[in-house]
Amino acid sequence: MSQTSKIKPLDRIDLKILSALQTNGRISNVNLANEVGLSASPCLDRVKRLESEGYIERYGAKLNASKLKFGMSAFIQITLERTTSDLFDSFAAAVQEINEVSECHMVAGGFDYLVKIRIADMEAYRQVLGTIVDIPGVAKNHTYVVIEEVKQDHGLPIAPE
């Protein structure tokens, strides 16, 4: 029997648990249980199942980027010299090694990758840009510096049934 056939479909309570945990990953099991209408033990069992089935990937803290000297963001469009799997793989591996890269997405359209970086200032931007454009296979780049974050990712729009 495959792993996917063992995965139980999500019900309304599972969705409530996921919604509550993505809002507050530090909520105690007792408070979570109260919020979703279960007793503590079955709630903990469900959370462990959601973790083991991969619905919950990790827990973390939202850090203040400005206080940690990463208050500037930029998006960089990257176009590769050619669209081959070996170049895609080598670019993806190189980007993984750049700490200031917070996100990197292969996209369809007029360019190949959209890279989000978090830096302290323009000097740091210039250094990171130099590292990115020196990756073998990068042909073109275009940067958009973020002036204001209008909306941040606060999780998936889970709506319990």
Side-chain angles (χ1 to χ4, degrees):
M1 186 182 278
S2 73
Q3 177 65 21
T4 50
S5 63
K6 293 180 184 180
I7 294 178
K8 183 177 164 186
L10 298 179
D11 64 15
R12 183 180 54 79
I13 292 175
D14 292 331
L15 294 173
K16 280 183 173 183
I17 289 170
L18 292 172
S19 181
L21 285 175
Q22 82 174 345
T23 301
N24 179 5
R26 292 183 55 156
I27 189 171
S28 71
N29 184 58
V30 170
N31 288 340
L32 178 61
N34 288 335
E35 191 170 318
V36 301
L38 289 176
S39 58
S41 183
C43 183
L44 184 58
D45 290 343
R46 281 182 181 246
V47 169
K48 288 180 187 262
R49 179 179 56 81
L50 291 167
E51 291 169 347
S52 70
E53 291 178 355
Y55 290 103
I56 300 170
E57 293 181 349
R58 69 177 181 88
Y59 296 90
K62 173 81 169 100
L63 305 179
N64 184 312
S66 294
K67 288 184 180 275
L68 294 167
K69 309 242 186 298
F70 290 97
M72 185 176 163
S73 300
F75 290 89
I76 306 170
Q77 293 178 346
I78 300 293
T79 303
L80 300 178
E81 293 171 351
R82 58 193 188 285
T83 54
T84 60
S85 59
D86 63 321
L87 205 49
F88 289 147
D89 293 344
S90 65
F91 180 83
V95 164
Q96 295 291 330
E97 301 302 316
I98 303 170
N99 290 333
E100 294 85 355
V101 171
S102 61
E103 297 179 36
C104 178
H105 304 273
M106 180 188 275
V107 297
F111 55 96
D112 298 308
Y113 288 93
L114 184 61
V115 178
K116 180 180 181 183
I117 61 172
R118 299 299 302 244
I119 58 281
D121 52 31
M122 288 305 281
E123 182 180 335
Y125 159 73
R126 177 67 186 95
Q127 290 174 352
V128 174
L129 180 64
T131 301
I132 291 172
V133 299
D134 284 346
I135 296 172
V138 171
K140 294 191 308 188
N141 71 88
H142 190 87
T143 300
Y144 301 91
V145 175
V146 174
I147 295 169
E148 175 185 6
E149 280 189 6
V150 176
K151 182 178 179 184
Q152 291 183 4
D153 181 6
H154 292 288
L156 299 173
I158 296 173
E161 300 170 347

